[in-house]
Amino acid sequence: MASHIDYVEMFQGFSKLNREERLQRLFEIGALTGEDLRFLRAGANVPIDLAEKFIENVLGYFQVPLGVATNFFIDGRPYVIPMAVEETSIIAAASKTAKWIREHGAITTEMIGTEIIGQIQIARVADYARLLEMVKAHESEWVEACNRDVASGMVKRGGGVKRIEVRKVERGDGGHMAILHVYADPCDAMGANVINQVCEYLKGPVEATTQEKVTMCILSNLVDSRVTRARVEMSGLDAELMERIEEASLFACQDPYRAATNNKGVLNGIDPILIATGNDWRAVEAGVHAYAARSGQYRSITRWRREENHLVGIFEAPVVLGIVGGVTTLHPMAKICLKMMNISSAEELSRVCAAVGLVQNLGALRALTTVGIIEGHMKLHIKNLSLGAGAEEREMPYVQKRLEEILALRKRISLSNAIEVLKELRDQRTNEAP
């Protein structure tokens, strides 16, 4: 990968380049290989028989545009961020905000904890005290057996099952259920399949030892034992802007209606990376939203505060990912995207995703508290509106220019505006024809 200075220089004016020039720039900084270029230039055609291995009743592929966000320096290291996404302005906003942060501050990240969670449910516990005593007495024995018979692959990578805890949960009908939490370190795998197998494996020993009936075994996507944290700190900003961002953040922390939209904006930065790398974005979304509601009220997963002359932002939520196994290993585009970031561990990928989510959030808050969300988003959306109206390639420049003029004047545009502009253009050409 290129040095810090080379990276900055290579991405100056990147958004103004055509596709071929972008590919060449990525090749020059080492983000893409010659083989990657050939694959992408050929249309990134993935064999249909590979899809047959992923899902059932295959018909084909549904393609999502793949782009790259630029200007990211995370923990002092430059990154090219691949993003598979259909929504206008996400990549532009991420790149623009990352550049702003680079000029005024830094992004740092960390992982708090390493363990994922499997759950073993006893729906109607007969004797909770005895169950707790039996689990404590046999915990070491069961952990050892799981690591020997089920999770040996995890153990070889330096992970494996670590411990077992018991929770008492009210049923709502006056009774209680008991939940055994099985904690494991999956290393660079997401670990879902293995932790499910571990829990199923423990069903027999738990029932035989405790005389209780196990009713279900499944992993949890609320992984509060493996939380990713990203931090942005900036200085030299306008005091009023920092105050506005702080107030916008407080709004999302205190009001669940605003928090839902705020967190969707954070995930605008995270989900496209998960899709690009073949990770389970649904699992991450479920965990993020559950974590956001852990206090009993749904809140923002980001916090922005003015600390003297600094603006400080924090993202904190579970972002459990993998870089080995499944689509991540088998899909050629997923492999290219991981290589593009030069990711060496699942933890690093989680930290990068958290950082991009926090940056995306800052970009949205900055827009909302200054020019408003419409101006930037709709300006980039003009091309989609032009296409939606049916504009041909030669008509696009005129339609887009007129829509920009309408947006500047009225502060809003819609598909009907694009249709009207296109009709005017074609009527004018018809009238001018000899």
Side-chain angles (χ1 to χ4, degrees):
M1 186 65 73
S3 69
H4 186 122
I5 296 174
D6 290 340
Y7 177 93
V8 173
E9 291 178 349
M10 290 296 290
F11 281 103
Q12 287 180 353
F14 189 79
S15 62
K16 303 295 191 299
L17 304 178
N18 61 38
R19 176 174 175 268
E20 181 57 36
E21 290 169 334
R22 293 184 197 120
L23 290 173
Q24 188 60 36
R25 285 275 184 96
L26 293 173
F27 174 73
E28 289 172 9
I29 67 169
L32 294 175
T33 65
E35 183 180 352
D36 297 335
L37 287 183
R38 288 188 289 274
F39 179 75
L40 292 169
R41 283 168 175 159
N45 294 315
V46 182
I48 198 65
D49 60 347
L50 189 60
E52 295 277 14
K53 296 179 175 64
F54 294 151
I55 62 169
E56 307 77 35
N57 301 335
V58 166
L59 299 177
Y61 288 96
F62 181 90
Q63 292 185 316
V64 177
L66 176 73
V68 292
T70 60
N71 300 313
F72 275 88
F73 282 81
I74 303 169
D75 297 315
R77 179 188 153 190
Y79 282 89
V80 176
I81 308 293
M83 304 179 83
V85 65
E86 85 300 337
E87 185 174 335
T88 303
S89 80
I90 286 178
I91 291 177
S95 302
K96 180 180 179 180
T97 309
K99 181 180 180 182
W100 186 45
I101 294 170
R102 190 189 75 210
E103 293 168 348
H104 293 276
I107 308 169
T108 56
T109 63
E110 63 178 316
M111 180 74 79
I112 304 168
T114 61
E115 299 166 337
I116 59 174
I117 302 171
Q119 294 187 295
I120 301 173
Q121 181 206 31
I122 298 171
R124 298 180 182 275
V125 60
D127 189 338
Y128 181 82
R130 183 176 182 278
L131 171 71
L132 185 60
E133 182 182 346
M134 290 294 100
V135 171
K136 287 183 177 179
H138 292 270
E139 179 185 2
S140 297
E141 170 193 337
W142 290 345
V143 167
E144 183 180 347
C146 288
N147 285 331
R148 180 187 64 241
D149 298 337
V150 185
S152 58
M154 278 186 182
V155 174
K156 288 176 182 176
R157 295 194 301 270
V161 179
K162 300 298 182 183
R163 56 196 172 97
I164 303 171
E165 294 184 355
V166 185
R167 295 172 55 235
K168 190 176 187 179
V169 178
E170 292 185 8
R171 291 180 49 84
D173 58 5
H176 293 86
M177 63 180 76
I179 314 297
L180 277 66
H181 272 201
V182 182
Y183 293 87
D185 181 353
C187 298
D188 287 330
M190 192 173 184
N193 291 331
V194 174
I195 197 68
N196 284 336
Q197 292 176 52
V198 164
C199 292
E200 289 286 353
Y201 173 86
L202 284 172
K203 178 179 177 180
V206 168
E207 289 184 336
T209 303
T210 67
Q211 305 305 305
E212 301 279 1
K213 177 66 175 175
V214 171
T215 45
M216 193 171 74
C217 300
I218 187 66
L219 85 160
S220 173
N221 289 125
L222 175 54
V223 192
D224 54 6
S225 52
R226 188 185 177 106
V227 171
T228 310
R229 178 181 291 164
R231 174 186 170 94
V232 165
E233 183 169 343
M234 303 173 70
S235 59
L237 304 183
D238 178 72
E240 184 180 353
L241 175 60
M242 290 192 286
E243 290 172 4
R244 287 181 178 182
I245 291 173
E246 182 177 38
E247 286 299 323
S249 180
L250 181 62
F251 181 13
C253 289
Q254 298 302 114
D255 178 27
Y257 291 89
R258 169 59 195 144
T261 312
N262 178 88
N263 291 348
K264 187 270 182 183
V266 177
L267 289 160
N268 275 346
I270 296 175
D271 283 351
I273 306 172
L274 306 184
I275 295 169
T277 58
N279 270 278
D280 188 346
W281 56 270
R282 299 161 303 279
V284 172
E285 285 225 354
V288 165
H289 293 307
Y291 192 79
R294 68 195 185 282
S295 68
Q297 176 183 314
Y298 188 85
R299 300 180 186 275
S300 170
I301 53 170
T302 60
R303 303 285 188 276
W304 292 94
R305 298 289 184 269
R306 180 185 178 186
E307 298 180 2
E308 296 181 348
N309 296 322
H310 299 269
L311 179 66
V312 177
I314 300 289
F315 166 98
E316 186 176 293
V319 184
V320 180
L321 307 177
I323 63 168
V324 297
V327 176
T328 304
T329 301
L330 298 174
H331 199 291
M333 282 304 304
K335 291 193 287 186
I336 287 174
C337 289
L338 279 173
K339 185 167 54 178
M340 198 182 303
M341 289 186 284
N342 197 24
I343 292 291
S344 60
S345 69
E347 177 186 326
E348 182 183 4
L349 181 59
S350 296
R351 291 189 286 103
V352 166
C353 286
V356 177
L358 184 60
V359 170
Q360 195 79 32
N361 179 234
L362 177 59
L365 295 183
R366 184 188 186 189
L368 283 166
T369 56
T370 53
V371 298
I373 204 70
I374 294 299
E375 181 175 312
H377 179 78
M378 291 308 296
K379 190 171 182 179
L380 291 169
H381 194 53
I382 282 173
K383 184 177 289 186
N384 289 351
L385 292 177
S386 303
L387 290 170
E392 297 176 0
E393 188 67 31
R394 61 194 178 92
E395 297 170 323
M396 289 287 285
Y398 175 83
V399 175
Q400 289 179 216
K401 182 179 179 181
R402 284 286 293 119
L403 289 177
E404 288 178 4
E405 292 170 353
I406 293 170
L407 177 61
L409 181 66
R410 303 180 187 175
K411 304 303 181 186
R412 62 183 182 276
I413 51 172
S414 65
L415 180 59
S416 62
N417 295 130
I419 293 172
E420 290 171 7
V421 167
L422 184 60
K423 184 177 182 301
E424 289 173 5
L425 172 63
R426 290 177 176 175
D427 287 348
Q428 180 182 345
R429 287 212 311 260
T430 299
N431 295 332
E432 291 175 352

